[in-house]
Amino acid sequence: EWIDMTGNLPNISVNCIYYQPNTEDRIYVGTDIGVYTCSKNVPFYIRWGVGLPMLCVSELDIVESIGSLRAATYGRGIWEVKLNNCISENINIKYDGITTFCEGDSLRMYIEGDHKDIMWSTGETTPEIYVKSNGRYWVATNIYSECPKISENQIEVTVHPKKILKINASKDPSFCEGDS
């Protein structure tokens, strides 16, 4: 099954993707405005590489022997930065109720504890959200640091559409007081 990994990536061209072996499924994405990285199959990306201008990255390569990531750019040479070796801390999403419900209802999701710089997959930035639509929901905190905390548990929500009841009268639909 394919999973959408677009997450919070800017709406720009992605030119290359590199998987970092022996990590928490960390990937690096070379875009038209630099390099982004994310881990654990949660599509929350952070811009990677202090000092790298916003320029087109056409190729990425990891040099494991020196722990570096190299980015080939268009017209600005090759840039090198240390690999992202942080270990992401997990956040556990909690929720009230059930994850399958009818249209018109909602599900409260929240995280406990003191968290800074929160971002849900919906774009909301509060410790709790109310969801009303189908989807896979996740949260990240400390999003402006090199090692954000990201929820391992993604909550899959299924919303069933309301069914419209249609009544067909078998006889003349008019009736008098006292009839049923």
Side-chain angles (χ1 to χ4, degrees):
E1 174 183 332
W2 288 91
I3 296 173
D4 181 6
M5 292 293 293
T6 306
N8 63 321
L9 273 174
N11 188 18
I12 53 168
S13 296
V14 171
N15 305 313
C16 52
I17 299 173
Y18 200 95
Y19 174 81
Q20 182 180 354
N22 306 315
T23 64
E24 308 170 309
D25 292 331
R26 182 167 296 119
I27 62 171
Y28 296 90
V29 180
T31 72
D32 279 356
I33 61 169
V35 177
Y36 290 82
T37 184
C38 77
S39 299
K40 292 188 178 178
N41 294 324
V42 175
F44 179 78
Y45 294 85
I46 58 173
R47 191 165 157 78
W48 193 250
V50 174
L52 179 67
M54 293 186 115
L55 45 76
C56 182
V57 174
S58 56
E59 191 172 338
L60 294 170
D61 192 25
I62 291 179
V63 184
E64 289 188 47
S65 61
I66 58 173
S68 291
L69 173 71
R70 290 187 179 154
T73 66
Y74 180 76
R76 298 284 300 267
I78 296 176
W79 293 72
E80 184 175 273
V81 68
K82 290 292 181 193
L83 290 170
N84 180 354
N85 289 316
C86 72
I87 305 296
S88 299
E89 294 181 48
N90 183 41
I91 301 170
N92 190 29
I93 299 176
K94 298 188 176 199
Y95 55 92
D96 296 334
I98 57 173
T99 58
T100 301
F101 51 88
C102 292
E103 185 179 31
D105 288 339
S106 64
L107 176 68
R108 174 182 174 246
M109 292 185 189
Y110 60 97
I111 54 175
E112 293 179 331
D114 185 27
H115 297 281
K116 295 179 182 171
D117 304 322
I118 300 167
M119 179 162 302
W120 290 86
S121 53
T122 60
E124 294 176 74
T125 58
T126 57
E128 72 176 17
I129 62 171
Y130 290 85
V131 297
K132 298 180 179 185
S133 57
N134 289 324
R136 181 174 284 140
Y137 296 88
W138 50 265
V139 67
T141 66
N142 297 332
I143 60 174
Y144 300 112
S145 72
E146 290 182 356
C147 296
K149 296 178 182 178
I150 300 172
S151 59
E152 280 185 5
N153 64 323
Q154 296 183 40
I155 308 300
E156 183 77 35
V157 172
T158 304
V159 179
H160 297 292
K162 287 184 179 177
K163 295 192 179 195
I164 298 173
L165 181 61
K166 187 175 181 182
I167 299 173
N168 292 323
S170 60
K171 296 182 179 178
D172 181 2
S174 59
F175 57 94
C176 297
E177 188 175 327
D179 289 346
S180 58

